[in-house]
Amino acid sequence: MCGRFAITLPHDAMAQLFDALPANDLPEVPNYNVCPTDPIHVATAGRRLVSMRWGLIPSWYEAPNDGPLLINARAEGIEHKAAFRQAVRERRCLVPASGFYEWTKDTDGNRLPWYITRRDGAPMALAAIWQDWGREGERQPTVAIVTTAANAEILSLHNRMPVILEPVDWPLWLGEAGPGAARLLGGAPDGTLDYHRVDPAVNSNRARGPHLVEPLAA
């Protein structure tokens, strides 16, 4: 899955990365502990860089908490899930991330956080889908990150991982290059990612600061 991530790129760097026009209300960066329900950066079709709430809210919810918090959408069968099928056909997007977190447990049940990045140091572009939600004329764009089975590297930490797309595939996922986006829903190739242990301080969604992604001292 993908339940927490970091984004450290300045707004102009994100806009340049996606060749996108940035909105005026983008979330503050850097953010080393992006959590569900936070506003996050999203690159949409039409190459706009905008802010959306992390946690897709289906159109039939009467309130944001009317059902499960849909921060992730499983790639397997996504086109058949009522909450996701229209969005994956019509509203695909990209979420920039510098890295994401995953957790294991020690023999005492303590949660041990790990920070995962691209081996080449490049930012990640996570496949995602979005949905407008609102009542009484107020609309809120909401987004879910698409996940898939973990590759060989991440499998030792978790059996799921976000779908990480290469730049050559961004136009296809965004619907700018014709049909065929479904074939992009696999995991990153083995050898793409690195990870290291980080301070358990990140277990708190209130934790902030660059120390959260630094390797834990031995």
Side-chain angles (χ1 to χ4, degrees):
M1 63 177 297
C2 181
R4 211 84 71 77
F5 66 93
I7 178 65
T8 61
L9 290 177
H11 293 156
D12 58 350
M14 279 187 270
Q16 184 175 6
L17 178 69
F18 295 118
D19 190 23
L21 181 67
N24 294 324
D25 60 346
L26 296 174
E28 291 186 8
V29 285
N31 186 345
Y32 295 91
N33 192 9
V34 182
C35 302
T37 74
D38 283 350
I40 64 174
H41 303 80
V42 176
T44 64
R47 299 300 174 120
R48 291 273 299 169
L49 184 66
V50 300
S51 174
M52 295 188 186
R53 175 192 186 269
W54 185 16
L56 187 143
I57 306 175
S59 59
W60 59 85
Y61 280 24
E62 291 298 324
N65 59 355
D66 265 3
L69 182 62
L70 304 177
I71 63 170
N72 293 157
R74 293 175 67 94
E76 300 87 347
I78 190 174
E79 71 277 14
H80 302 303
K81 302 288 187 182
F84 305 136
R85 61 190 174 202
Q86 187 172 2
V88 78
R89 292 172 187 160
E90 301 176 4
R91 293 183 298 277
R92 297 190 296 268
C93 56
L94 300 167
V95 172
S98 302
F100 64 96
Y101 297 96
E102 196 48 79
W103 280 261
T104 58
K105 289 185 178 181
D106 63 17
T107 54
D108 296 322
N110 299 308
R111 299 178 74 230
L112 309 177
W114 301 78
Y115 185 58
I116 302 156
T117 60
R118 287 185 61 107
R119 187 167 292 179
D120 61 10
M124 298 176 181
L126 311 182
I129 56 176
W130 67 275
Q131 166 75 50
D132 262 342
W133 180 87
R135 292 292 181 269
E136 299 179 358
E138 294 187 8
R139 308 301 295 177
Q140 179 179 33
T142 66
V143 62
I145 293 171
V146 182
T147 66
T148 189
N151 66 10
E153 294 150 346
I154 303 305
L155 192 57
S156 62
L157 304 179
H158 200 277
N159 62 359
R160 305 290 298 176
M161 64 179 289
V163 173
I164 302 169
L165 299 179
E166 298 298 325
V168 67
D169 292 322
W170 297 350
L172 187 58
W173 180 251
L174 292 176
E176 301 167 348
R183 68 173 175 80
L184 303 177
L185 292 177
D190 295 344
T192 303
L193 306 175
D194 273 332
Y195 57 84
H196 57 262
R197 277 279 313 279
V198 292
D199 195 308
V202 78
N203 292 349
S204 168
N205 59 13
R206 294 185 295 274
R208 295 291 182 267
H211 66 283
L212 297 177
V213 301
E214 294 173 358
L216 190 65

